[in-house]
Amino acid sequence: MVNKNLDEAKKRKNDEFYTQYADIEREVLAYVEYDPDVFRGKTILLPCDDPEWSNFTLFFANRFEEFGLKKLISTSYAPDAKKIQNKQPSLFELESEQYDPAKSNCKGKIFVLDHDITGDGKVTFDDLQWQYLDGDGDFRSDEVKRLRDEADIIITNPPFSLFREFFGWLMEANKEFLIIGNINAITYKEIFPHFKANEVWLGNGFQGGNAYFGVEMHRDFSDGVYNEKTGLVKFRNCCWFTNIDHGRRHQPLQLMTMADNIKFKTDKSLIGLKEYRHYDNYDAIEVPATKCIPSDYDGAMGVPVTFLDKYCPEQFEIIGASESEGVGFSCGLWHSQSKISQPAVDGVRKYKRLLIRKKR
């Protein structure tokens, strides 16, 4: 039955991955550790977030006073509102006098937390107030855009199928943010220039590089591994994108010389070499893994995109990326006469590569 569901899932898009509370906590606390006042006095917007299922609202509501938040706003989306018939009301709706069956099927909701309403002297999840939005809660709507403009920081796990558009929506507002996306999005033409300019970077990261999400079985998780016992799907290609500083990104990599990397075979592709290979069509050497970056080479190097998980801006500069990711991305390092945009060694093409140089 599981294999059958997996096959069916591959035919559908999936935008409903439910982030685990522990992953949110681990990530957010890394920023608080670096700057204890990072959220103090701030308004946080959690778009694309339904507190009935999502842990983002629960986490920040639990930490509202500890972080010194000014206001927490969460908006939910009513998917395929025009197609839904007789949708079951949520717990929030059932427990509220505001519940309106006519609106439940077609209206998004807004949840706000900014003061104590229960009278217990604390601001907690129990003080969360909600009402229906005028529209369906789409982040692109004018209604949600106004909330975006009110916020100081935007945090969410956005729809994967709309990641490019959501990223542009963020950059348009010039806000601090923390979002989850596929690591391959780093090389999107709309996103990579921001990484190159050190305006956006990867976050602290998921434990062991593994992101676990709750997901309905009919959803598409063909890129992940489903665990029938836990009901979670594991992904190794998900990461946090942010422009909020944290300590990990300032930790320099410990490097060995080129000779020692070859001697100790830090990667199997180095076996039998006397020096690193130079690309056929780029003025750079091929570095097969981040751990293989040589300490004694000052020229341009091609590295996998996963390098950004260990990128220290004080140690390296990002020169560009392979032309296969975008025209002009290589900043002149590509030999255009080769007519092969992917970096190649002895005619063998390599996967996505970032081009970096060690800072002097």
Side-chain angles (χ1 to χ4, degrees), residues 17 207-215 221-227 230-238:
F17 291 110
Q207 182 74 42
N210 296 315
Y212 292 88
F213 298 101
V215 64
F221 42 82
S222 54
D223 289 335
V225 178
Y226 177 70
N227 185 312
T230 64
L232 300 177
V233 183
K234 180 178 75 172
F235 291 86
R236 289 196 57 81
N237 60 355
C238 290

Side-chain angles (χ1 to χ4, degrees), residues 11 27 54-55 97 107 113 180 203 227 236 244 251 291 301 307 319-320 360:
K11 301 175 183 178
E27 183 67 24
S54 171
N55 285 311
E97 296 179 356
K107 299 292 185 182
L113 180 64
I180 297 173
N227 185 312
R236 289 196 57 81
I244 306 172
Q251 298 174 3
K291 62 184 177 181
M301 298 175 276
F307 157 80
I319 305 172
R360 293 183 175 88

Side-chain angles (χ1 to χ4, degrees), residues 99-147:
Y99 173 54
D100 183 344
K103 293 182 178 180
S104 179
N105 288 351
C106 59
K107 299 292 185 182
K109 304 185 194 74
I110 178 172
F111 303 80
V112 176
L113 180 64
D114 58 4
H115 67 284
D116 171 28
I117 63 171
T118 61
D120 62 359
K122 298 179 292 185
V123 182
T124 67
F125 187 84
D126 292 334
D127 299 303
L128 203 65
Q129 301 179 78
W130 76 274
Q131 63 183 38
Y132 292 109
L133 291 165
D134 292 332
D136 61 8
D138 191 311
F139 69 88
R140 297 163 292 192
S141 68
D142 290 340
E143 189 174 21
V144 178
K145 280 184 178 180
R146 287 193 293 271
L147 296 173

Side-chain angles (χ1 to χ4, degrees), residues 54-219:
S54 171
N55 285 311
F56 281 97
T57 302
L58 178 60
F59 173 78
F60 281 101
N62 285 343
R63 302 272 185 159
F64 189 94
E65 292 190 344
E66 178 185 344
F67 290 166
L69 296 181
K70 175 184 177 182
K71 189 176 184 180
L72 182 65
I73 307 171
S74 178
T75 60
S76 70
Y77 174 59
D80 297 323
K82 296 180 180 179
K83 301 178 184 178
I84 293 177
Q85 299 293 330
N86 302 318
K87 189 185 76 172
Q88 293 299 311
S90 71
L91 290 177
F92 280 101
E93 291 170 320
L94 286 174
E95 295 175 356
S96 173
E97 296 179 356
Q98 301 180 66
Y99 173 54
D100 183 344
K103 293 182 178 180
S104 179
N105 288 351
C106 59
K107 299 292 185 182
K109 304 185 194 74
I110 178 172
F111 303 80
V112 176
L113 180 64
D114 58 4
H115 67 284
D116 171 28
I117 63 171
T118 61
D120 62 359
K122 298 179 292 185
V123 182
T124 67
F125 187 84
D126 292 334
D127 299 303
L128 203 65
Q129 301 179 78
W130 76 274
Q131 63 183 38
Y132 292 109
L133 291 165
D134 292 332
D136 61 8
D138 191 311
F139 69 88
R140 297 163 292 192
S141 68
D142 290 340
E143 189 174 21
V144 178
K145 280 184 178 180
R146 287 193 293 271
L147 296 173
R148 175 200 65 181
D149 295 342
E150 176 188 348
D152 300 295
I153 303 174
I154 298 167
I155 301 175
T156 193
N157 181 354
F160 277 24
S161 64
L162 297 174
F163 189 84
R164 295 173 194 257
E165 192 169 357
F166 188 85
F167 185 88
W169 181 84
L170 285 173
M171 301 309 292
E172 177 184 78
N174 192 30
K175 301 288 184 176
E176 289 187 310
F177 63 86
L178 175 62
I179 61 174
I180 297 173
N182 188 297
I183 193 168
N184 288 319
I186 290 168
T187 57
Y188 292 171
K189 63 181 181 180
E190 302 91 345
I191 297 174
F192 175 72
H194 297 286
F195 273 92
K196 183 175 180 293
N198 199 31
E199 297 169 344
V200 176
W201 44 86
L202 294 188
N204 184 59
F206 290 96
Q207 182 74 42
N210 296 315
Y212 292 88
F213 298 101
V215 64
E216 297 177 29
M217 273 300 298
H218 71 275
R219 299 294 184 175

